[in-house]
Amino acid sequence: MKKELPKVYDPKDVEDRIYKMWMDGDCFNGDPDPKKPPFSIVMPPPNVTGQLHMGHALDSTLQDILTRFKRMEGYSALWLPGVDHAGIATQIKVEEELRKEGKTRYDLGREKFLERVWEWKNKYGSRIVEQQKKMGVSCDWKRSRFTMDETCAKAVRETFCDLYDKGMIYKGSRIINWCPHCVTALSDAEVEYVEKPGHLWYIRYPMTDGSGDLIIATTRPETMMGDTGIAVNPADERFKKWVGKTCILPIMNREIPVVADDYAELEFGTGAVKMTPAHDPNDFEVGLRHNLEVIRVIGDDGKINENGGPYAGMDRYECRKAIVKDLEEQGYLVKVEPYSHNVGTCYRCHNDVEPLISAQWFVKMEPLAKEALRVVKDGEVKFVPERFSKTYINWMENVHDWCISRQLWWGHQIPAWYCDECGHINVSREDPTKCEKCGSTHLTRDPDVLDTWFSSALWPFSTLGWPDKTADLNYYYPTSVMVTGYDIIFFWVARMIFSGCEQMKKIPFDTVLIHGLVRDDKGRKMSKSLGNGIDPLEMAEKYGADALRFNLITGNSPGNDTRFYTEKCEAMRNFANKIWNASRFVQMNLTIDTCELPAADKLEMEDKWILTKLNALIKEVTENLDAYEIGVASAKVYDFIWDTYCDWYIELTKTRMTGDNAESKKVAENVLCYVLIDILKLLHPFMPFISEEIWQSLPREAGETSQYLMSAEWPKYCEETNFSAEADAIEAVMDTIKAVRARRAEMNVPPSKKAEMILLTAEPAIYQQGEHFIKRLAYASEVQTVDKAPENLEGMVTIVTHKATAYIPMSELVDFKAELERIAKEREKAENGLRITEGKLKNEKFVAHAPEAVVNVEREKAEKYRELIAKLDESAKALQ
């Protein structure tokens, strides 16, 4: 006999022990098995600097549910974990540590600094892994990868060299997004646009020949020292006479040409636009068309450089104030208008990004985008929900070349060496010893590293051993599904798709399951600045990991943000306790050692009902999970356990479990146990710990070979256990019981008071068969079935259900006068309470000055009073 379950479920006692049992039993291993179909997920690698937050907790829970489900369905399921080296984030962390020691990375030098970063990674890098384990994730930890491990580094180098050899990676001077705070280039996807209030400054540029002035409007006067032209629209009649001439750049007193270009909009500002090719991507393109000089005036640190004349050394915003003052004093400033516009900010530090001309490495996107667009448009890669494919397609159709170089030390160093003699760039899979062009041995390696997302883009195949042809790659690639948030479709999903199509000539995954953000209970994004972040580990510690997981997925639908309510964790802990108590009741009443479903002719009416309901549940939950409707599936399992199994079936079988009929008792035991085991299997992907612990304590099903619930077989829909006629019959009996109990509750009749029940029905056999249930659960002293309504209905209550009408002589049970008086008193009390509460809420000072939580309590109180008054009115009406 199995061990008895303790009286109370304690997650702290269970979770670590069960997780160790799984680890010791190699339950998470995913290995190629030609007898099984493959299922694989690569975990979106959290940053090595990271600590588990609610977004990670949701992400991990969704992936774990899918992996556990497929593993039980008989797939060889691999969930491959790993962490990302997180270039900027990690380097900043280590530089902060150095600052405390009064040092910078330059004091250490590149080699020693990288040693410090690796030390930091080895010390803190496993923190998030241990935190994920607390959530119950079933990753194959022995395969854990790091974006800078040897295999990933080999994949990165192979990809860079391959794309360079094909002419798809190049080095060139382009306008890039530069973060002066992080001191590195950013790709377009790493720039977040924020609407900020600003100004349009109208500035006078005098024509060199004295024929007049050009007035231009700009939002960035601090870059005007780098102006090398003025553009006007060729169709603009106002400026035709000045095209081809020059004007004077104020303050710098330099002659610059006036050029005609379609980029200048007739309606914006004055129609004349200053051209600063070193500091604006559009100006750069105009400059290329008209051969304008490129003068950079802002340095990497965000300060004005030596080309900035009198403003050299100033911060860019300090310069803005100074130059506006000088323009005004010298008579060049015509007017200033308020103007709100989108400003690019760094996704990491949120400082304003500076567009700068810079020599950087780029990936040509046009040739890569074609196939990446086709696979989504043709449905080879599907987004769930489908609407996100439009977001992806829109971005890919308008994508610019990807700037992949970063001015950092931590990351994959670019495999390019410059020849000190002839200047040739040597790009090689192995470190070169001499220049491939002139043979010189004097080579200098490019100091820059690759964008973190360059290595992440290869994750679905680099983690499986590519560029080597491995058994894992052959079996598990393409992976099955990518689970990720909508906020990194551009950063990551798009790049994985075009990298897979280019390097593997195959898509990286069939499906992209998009989830939303986890927000606080007010719908706000969780952030340090708001102080509204909730630590998932604290929630797991307090309520259990299963309760936290179930909270995160209940009501969650793909692609939509979800609000996190701590109270829901409490509700899910109550659900766990309900399952525990029901399982404990079943276990304590079992005398069987093996669970076997009895033959159909041995089953009672209620057994056939529960098996039919279970069958429908298995079918629906399986279909929901296959369609990634995880929130819907979990809600169905919850409702079945709480309502169908615990509140009804256990109740319906209690008399058999305690009765004298040994055969009927054994049938009830087997069905109770059989259904419970299948429920635990269906619950397992959502609540793995409690389901495994209970399953380990129950008799095994006949033929069960698995030692663990997590590797047991997923339940299958079975036509033989569909008993629709019997199920309909017991549903009719249950409807009557529910309706009668509800009416008795309205009339405040205690269960101890019983009365005869007359049932008018066209199907008396159903109610005769279910008579003992009606007597026990609807508190009837006698049940009489009739084909005609009673002639005298005085003092009787009529209750109508879909297959019967019940008549109960309530006058025997209730003193109508006394009960109506009681209801009237309760109503008066509730009305007084409502009047006081509404008085507070109508007081504008109270609503304006009281804390929001206090006001909300009063609103909830008023709503409860209204509900109580409505219920009392219903009860009074029923009595009358």
Side-chain angles (χ1 to χ4, degrees):
M1 194 67 189
K2 297 282 180 179
K3 66 166 189 176
E4 188 179 311
L5 292 171
K7 274 187 181 178
V8 178
Y9 175 59
D10 182 5
K12 288 176 192 164
D13 169 58
V14 171
E15 290 177 354
D16 287 347
R17 174 169 48 76
I18 289 287
Y19 202 84
K20 184 179 184 301
M21 178 186 80
W22 289 329
M23 291 285 282
D24 291 346
D26 291 332
C27 294
F28 305 156
N29 288 8
D31 294 305
D33 183 344
K35 297 190 201 79
K36 293 181 176 181
F39 176 84
S40 57
I41 295 181
V42 288
M43 175 189 285
N47 287 353
V48 71
T49 56
Q51 292 211 55
L52 197 78
H53 57 62
M54 277 300 173
H56 291 132
L58 172 63
D59 210 51
S60 296
T61 299
L62 292 171
Q63 292 170 77
D64 194 48
I65 288 166
L66 293 173
T67 306
R68 286 179 183 273
F69 165 55
K70 287 295 174 186
R71 192 184 283 122
M72 291 174 79
E73 269 205 314
Y75 287 74
S76 178
L78 168 65
W79 182 15
L80 202 151
V83 287
D84 194 295
H85 65 279
I88 295 177
T90 310
Q91 183 156 319
I92 286 171
K93 286 269 186 197
V94 178
E95 288 192 89
E96 279 171 3
E97 281 193 358
L98 287 175
R99 260 200 300 279
K100 289 173 192 167
E101 299 167 22
K103 293 177 187 169
T104 70
R105 61 175 156 140
Y106 300 103
D107 296 328
L108 268 68
R110 187 170 192 138
E111 203 173 311
K112 291 283 181 199
F113 176 75
L114 288 177
E115 282 176 18
R116 278 291 291 264
V117 185
W118 276 105
E119 277 173 29
W120 189 93
K121 184 260 170 192
N122 292 333
K123 188 174 178 182
Y124 296 109
S126 61
R127 178 174 54 189
I128 196 157
V129 169
E130 293 310 310
Q131 291 172 336
Q132 284 172 318
K133 288 178 180 177
K134 292 283 182 192
M135 290 295 297
V137 301
S138 60
C139 302
D140 189 346
W141 293 112
K142 73 176 190 308
R143 291 173 172 269
S144 195
R145 304 304 301 273
F146 179 50
T147 49
M148 277 179 62
D149 66 25
E150 204 176 307
T151 310
C152 287
K154 188 177 175 183
V156 165
R157 192 144 173 180
E158 173 59 36
T159 302
F160 187 96
C161 295
D162 176 60
L163 293 175
Y164 182 81
D165 292 346
K166 292 173 180 170
M168 290 159 80
I169 282 183
Y170 64 92
K171 188 166 192 185
S173 289
R174 291 277 182 281
I175 293 284
I176 51 105
N177 305 298
W178 183 268
C179 178
H181 180 263
C182 297
V183 199
T184 187
L186 301 172
S187 72
D188 291 346
E190 292 168 314
V191 179
E192 293 175 347
Y193 288 91
V194 179
E195 187 161 308
K196 293 189 177 185
H199 295 91
L200 264 181
W201 285 272
Y202 288 79
I203 303 166
R204 184 172 62 81
Y205 284 54
M207 295 303 296
T208 310
D209 61 6
S211 59
D213 296 320
L214 271 172
I215 311 292
I216 66 95
T218 181
T219 58
R220 306 207 59 209
E222 67 274 16
T223 63
M224 66 181 285
M225 301 84 73
D227 289 1
T228 57
I230 299 287
V232 297
N233 194 290
D236 200 326
E237 295 295 334
R238 295 172 293 175
F239 304 118
K240 277 193 173 171
K241 60 186 177 186
W242 287 331
V243 173
K245 293 186 176 184
T246 61
C247 62
I248 302 294
L249 174 61
I251 295 175
M252 302 303 286
N253 295 316
R254 190 171 69 241
E255 278 190 45
I256 57 174
V258 180
V259 299
D261 196 280
D262 289 327
Y263 169 66
E265 294 177 34
L266 291 162
E267 287 81 25
F268 179 77
T270 64
V273 192
K274 74 186 198 71
M275 290 291 109
T276 322
H279 293 283
D280 184 281
N282 297 307
D283 295 5
F284 181 79
E285 296 299 327
V286 174
L288 289 177
R289 290 196 287 273
H290 299 278
N291 204 23
L292 299 179
E293 196 180 348
V294 179
I295 301 172
R296 182 173 161 177
V297 294
I298 299 177
D300 290 353
D301 56 0
K303 291 182 178 174
I304 307 301
N305 66 15
E306 67 282 358
N307 295 326
Y311 310 104
M314 284 186 183
D315 172 77
R316 53 187 168 157
Y317 296 119
E318 187 189 342
C319 167
R320 177 183 287 181
K321 289 175 188 169
I323 203 165
V324 167
K325 184 170 178 283
D326 291 347
L327 288 167
E328 191 170 15
E329 286 174 358
Q330 294 175 34
Y332 292 112
L333 187 65
V334 178
K335 63 174 177 174
V336 184
E337 288 179 352
Y339 180 69
S340 284
H341 60 128
N342 279 337
V343 177
T345 62
C346 173
Y347 80 109
R348 186 157 293 284
C349 69
H350 307 296
N351 284 286
D352 289 359
V353 163
E354 193 60 54
L356 295 178
I357 184 128
S358 179
Q360 300 285 345
W361 289 90
F362 294 87
V363 173
K364 276 187 190 168
M365 284 306 303
E366 194 185 350
L368 292 169
K370 278 180 190 164
E371 182 64 2
L373 274 166
R374 185 196 68 75
V375 294
V376 172
K377 285 179 176 178
D378 289 357
E380 287 180 36
V381 175
K382 294 179 183 69
F383 279 79
V384 178
E386 200 276 327
R387 68 178 185 270
F388 285 101
S389 63
K390 295 181 183 70
T391 309
Y392 169 90
I393 288 165
N394 184 47
W395 191 72
M396 286 301 277
E397 285 179 339
N398 297 286
V399 74
H400 298 122
D401 285 0
W402 174 19
C403 175
I404 53 169
S405 43
R406 297 289 179 271
Q407 289 60 52
L408 303 169
W409 286 355
W410 174 243
H412 293 278
Q413 195 171 350
I414 289 170
W417 285 257
Y418 304 100
C419 177
D420 300 340
E421 303 287 334
C422 72
H424 178 70
I425 300 175
N426 297 266
V427 170
S428 172
R429 287 166 175 80
E430 304 294 332
D431 292 7
T433 52
K434 61 180 184 177
C435 175
E436 62 191 5
K437 189 175 180 187
C438 74
S440 168
T441 55
H442 299 290
L443 302 175
T444 303
R445 188 169 187 178
D446 193 308
D448 289 354
V449 299
L450 289 163
D451 177 6
T452 301
W453 298 101
F454 191 93
S455 49
S456 304
L458 316 178
W459 194 245
F461 48 94
S462 65
T463 51
L464 293 169
W466 187 87
D468 295 340
K469 289 183 168 64
T470 64
D472 286 343
L473 196 63
N474 186 48
Y475 183 75
Y476 284 118
Y477 189 90
T479 63
S480 308
V481 59
M482 170 51 59
V483 181
T484 189
Y486 59 64
D487 50 338
I488 54 172
I489 291 175
F490 316 134
F491 281 118
W492 195 39
V493 176
R495 288 166 180 167
M496 283 188 287
I497 292 173
F498 69 65
S499 299
C501 291
E502 180 62 28
Q503 302 306 322
M504 297 295 296
K505 307 305 175 196
K506 281 182 190 173
I507 55 173
F509 29 71
D510 306 317
T511 305
V512 184
L513 175 59
I514 300 287
H515 62 74
L517 304 176
V518 182
R519 297 183 176 273
D520 71 5
D521 56 0
K522 294 179 181 68
R524 301 172 303 176
K525 191 172 177 178
M526 291 188 186
S527 68
K528 281 182 187 171
S529 57
L530 286 173
N532 63 340
I534 297 167
D535 183 352
L537 295 173
E538 276 181 28
M539 293 292 105
E541 178 72 16
K542 189 172 180 184
Y543 300 105
D546 283 335
L548 172 60
R549 286 167 64 115
F550 219 82
N551 181 354
L552 286 166
I553 53 161
T554 305
N556 189 308
S557 58
N560 293 328
D561 292 349
T562 183
R563 292 188 184 195
F564 187 87
Y565 297 94
T566 306
E567 301 81 3
K568 239 172 86 179
C569 267
E570 207 166 318
M572 295 314 161
R573 182 180 60 187
N574 294 343
F575 175 54
N577 290 338
K578 179 96 172 174
I579 300 159
W580 186 262
N581 293 336
S583 303
R584 193 165 176 273
F585 169 80
V586 171
Q587 188 210 43
M588 285 167 67
N589 285 285
L590 290 180
T591 58
I592 54 174
D593 295 322
T594 306
C595 173
E596 200 161 359
L597 192 62
D601 61 352
K602 303 279 188 205
L603 298 171
E604 302 276 353
M605 182 182 182
E606 63 271 24
D607 302 330
K608 291 179 177 179
W609 167 74
I610 192 75
L611 290 169
T612 305
K613 297 283 278 185
L614 175 68
N615 221 5
L617 179 73
I618 291 166
K619 186 173 187 287
E620 287 175 25
V621 168
T622 305
E623 286 170 357
N624 291 142
L625 288 176
D626 278 332
Y628 304 104
E629 294 162 349
I630 292 170
V632 175
S634 67
K636 286 178 180 174
V637 173
Y638 177 97
D639 289 342
F640 185 92
I641 291 173
W642 192 289
D643 187 51
T644 310
Y645 187 73
C646 296
D647 286 358
W648 278 104
Y649 184 64
I650 288 178
E651 222 33 69
L652 294 173
T653 56
K654 271 183 180 173
T655 49
R656 290 161 68 195
M657 295 294 280
T658 54
D660 299 329
N661 186 330
E663 189 181 2
S664 180
K665 182 179 189 306
K666 194 169 183 186
V667 169
E669 282 185 36
N670 272 292
V671 178
L672 274 164
C673 189
Y674 175 87
V675 175
L676 179 56
I677 287 169
D678 270 7
I679 286 171
L680 294 171
K681 288 178 180 179
L682 294 173
L683 179 67
H684 180 75
F686 310 106
M687 294 180 107
F689 291 114
I690 192 170
S691 55
E692 182 76 69
E693 177 75 349
I694 294 168
W695 187 84
Q696 291 290 341
S697 75
L698 293 173
R700 292 286 182 266
E701 283 179 281
E704 178 60 76
T705 55
S706 176
Q707 282 182 267
Y708 311 98
L709 173 61
M710 69 164 286
S711 49
E713 193 180 341
W714 185 257
K716 287 188 175 67
Y717 175 82
C718 174
E719 199 55 56
E720 287 77 59
T721 53
N722 255 357
F723 305 100
S724 53
E726 291 89 338
D728 286 350
I730 198 115
E731 290 278 355
V733 170
M734 286 165 62
D735 283 349
T736 299
I737 292 169
K738 282 187 258 190
V740 169
R741 284 168 74 135
R743 181 58 62 88
R744 286 175 64 106
E746 280 168 20
M747 298 174 78
N748 209 27
V749 181
S752 57
K753 285 194 174 181
K754 298 184 187 250
E756 184 191 0
M757 188 186 299
I758 299 166
L759 284 174
L760 171 64
T761 177
E763 299 178 56
I766 289 174
Y767 296 94
Q768 286 157 7
Q769 203 177 343
E771 183 180 335
H772 60 294
F773 295 133
I774 297 169
K775 280 183 173 179
R776 185 161 65 88
L777 301 173
Y779 319 117
S781 55
E782 288 298 326
V783 178
Q784 184 187 346
T785 54
V786 295
D787 57 5
K788 264 197 321 197
E791 287 179 15
N792 182 12
L793 294 176
E794 193 179 333
M796 284 205 176
V797 169
T798 306
I799 303 160
V800 180
T801 63
H802 76 295
K803 282 197 175 178
T805 302
Y807 301 95
I808 304 171
M810 278 295 181
S811 53
E812 292 177 20
L813 306 176
V814 180
D815 181 337
F816 283 85
K817 191 180 171 203
E819 186 58 19
L820 284 166
E821 282 172 7
R822 184 192 68 79
I823 289 169
K825 276 182 189 171
E826 266 200 61
R827 196 183 193 288
E828 190 182 344
K829 193 176 164 188
E831 275 184 327
N832 287 336
L834 180 62
R835 196 163 41 251
I836 294 164
T837 308
E838 282 182 336
K840 282 185 187 177
L841 293 169
K842 282 173 186 168
N843 182 334
E844 288 177 15
K845 282 185 182 174
F846 170 75
V847 174
H849 300 297
E852 192 183 349
V854 173
V855 177
N856 285 339
V857 165
E858 292 302 318
R859 285 190 181 123
E860 283 170 22
K861 215 190 277 183
E863 194 50 45
K864 279 179 183 166
Y865 279 133
R866 287 187 202 102
E867 283 173 13
L868 176 58
I869 289 166
K871 274 187 184 167
L872 290 167
D873 286 347
E874 273 178 37
S875 296
K877 192 179 171 188
L879 286 167
Q880 289 159 355

